[in-house]
Amino acid sequence: MISDEEGKAVQEIAKATGKSVDAAREFGGFISKYIGGPLEQAIGIWEDKLKYRRWENQIRLAENAKNFLNARGLDGPTRLIELSIAIPLLEEASLADSDSLQNRWAMLLANAADANGPEIRRAYVGILSEMTPIDASLLEMIFDADAATPPSPEGERAELWTGKLPNSISVAKPEDDQENKVVLPEYELSLVNLGRLGLICSAAAFGGMANMKWVSITALGRQFVIACRPPKANSRQV
């Protein structure tokens, strides 16, 4: 049985979003499990910010995260998420309308709630919030190409050729590729953004400017991809 304060909070959130009291209580209960706090605290985080669109995104996040945990044989969280991570994660995820980004937010939440999952840092929330769907898919392409290439004896990571985007990323420059071929603007911008976020680095420079035709994934980039993916999708966790 919920307390009077919890009941009032549930009614307020239902009124603000146009959803039923039962739906509001279910969402509040879901969040309270993840942060280890009472229902009124979980709902209170949102009561002055919830709007219809964000409510729908939160429900989708909850359902996806639950499904991701169930796929691992878990009925719910096996570790609590620190509020310093949970609050900004839930806040930013509610603003993501892209299905691909929503899935990454849900996986980040599921991994944070899994005691056997990777370490989740608060910085990952800020990084994901500044990425577009193209940024995210491009980073995964780079991750997979790097994972498929053994590091050098000195431990250096692969230098990857991006001149064939969006079709492929390769370790070697194809013979039929032209050095001066222009990468599609949206992919060039994504490469620059990934570099700005510290997820990749340019392997070469020209005239003092980064040359994004050759890139390498950074340690931060690898760990970030792992944090936003199902465990089995990571062929090499480092």
Side-chain angles (χ1 to χ4, degrees):
M1 180 176 295
I2 64 175
S3 66
D4 291 340
E5 291 184 358
E6 289 176 336
K8 291 179 181 178
V10 167
Q11 291 177 8
E12 286 300 316
I13 199 171
K15 184 189 302 181
T17 60
K19 297 292 184 179
S20 69
V21 170
D22 287 342
R25 183 180 294 113
E26 181 178 352
F27 175 71
F30 164 80
I31 297 303
S32 67
K33 291 180 181 178
Y34 276 81
I35 65 175
L39 179 60
E40 66 267 28
Q41 181 188 32
I43 295 178
I45 295 172
W46 304 100
E47 62 183 356
D48 62 339
K49 296 182 179 180
L50 279 178
K51 301 297 180 182
Y52 179 76
R53 189 67 174 267
R54 294 180 67 181
W55 170 261
E56 285 194 328
N57 286 341
Q58 290 158 4
I59 294 296
R60 184 163 47 147
L61 175 75
E63 292 175 347
N64 288 343
K66 179 181 179 181
N67 290 337
F68 288 146
L69 287 175
N70 289 345
R72 307 179 194 187
L74 301 176
D75 295 330
T78 55
R79 69 178 172 188
L80 299 178
I81 306 173
E82 295 180 8
L83 287 177
S84 62
I85 295 176
I87 293 176
L89 191 160
L90 296 167
E91 174 88 14
E92 294 294 344
S94 72
L95 300 173
D97 291 326
S98 160
D99 287 341
S100 63
L101 289 180
Q102 270 286 335
N103 284 337
R104 288 176 173 86
W105 281 113
M107 186 56 66
L108 187 63
L109 178 61
N111 282 336
D114 183 355
N116 294 318
E119 177 188 4
I120 303 301
R121 294 172 174 261
R122 182 174 180 176
Y124 297 165
V125 175
I127 289 172
L128 187 53
S129 71
E130 295 192 42
M131 295 177 70
T132 67
I134 291 180
D135 295 347
S137 62
L138 180 53
L139 180 63
E140 291 200 358
M141 288 178 66
I142 294 172
F143 175 92
D144 290 335
D146 175 80
T149 307
S152 69
E154 294 77 22
E156 296 178 354
R157 313 307 303 193
E159 295 182 357
L160 304 171
W161 176 250
T162 65
K164 283 286 190 179
L165 286 172
N167 298 321
S168 65
I169 292 177
S170 58
V171 176
K173 175 187 171 184
E175 293 183 1
D176 63 343
D177 209 352
Q178 299 296 320
E179 188 72 44
N180 60 354
K181 180 182 177 183
V182 177
V183 177
L184 292 175
E186 58 267 34
Y187 285 91
E188 183 178 25
L189 185 59
S190 285
L191 289 170
V192 171
N193 191 44
L194 294 177
R196 180 185 69 85
L197 293 171
L199 305 174
I200 64 172
C201 60
S202 173
F206 178 77
M209 298 183 66
N211 177 2
M212 304 308 288
K213 289 290 186 69
W214 289 101
V215 300
S216 295
I217 192 167
T218 64
L220 176 62
R222 291 192 299 275
Q223 295 301 332
F224 174 76
V225 171
I226 290 170
C228 298
R229 271 183 153 186
K232 293 182 180 179
N234 301 307
S235 56
R236 181 176 69 218
Q237 297 191 16
V238 292

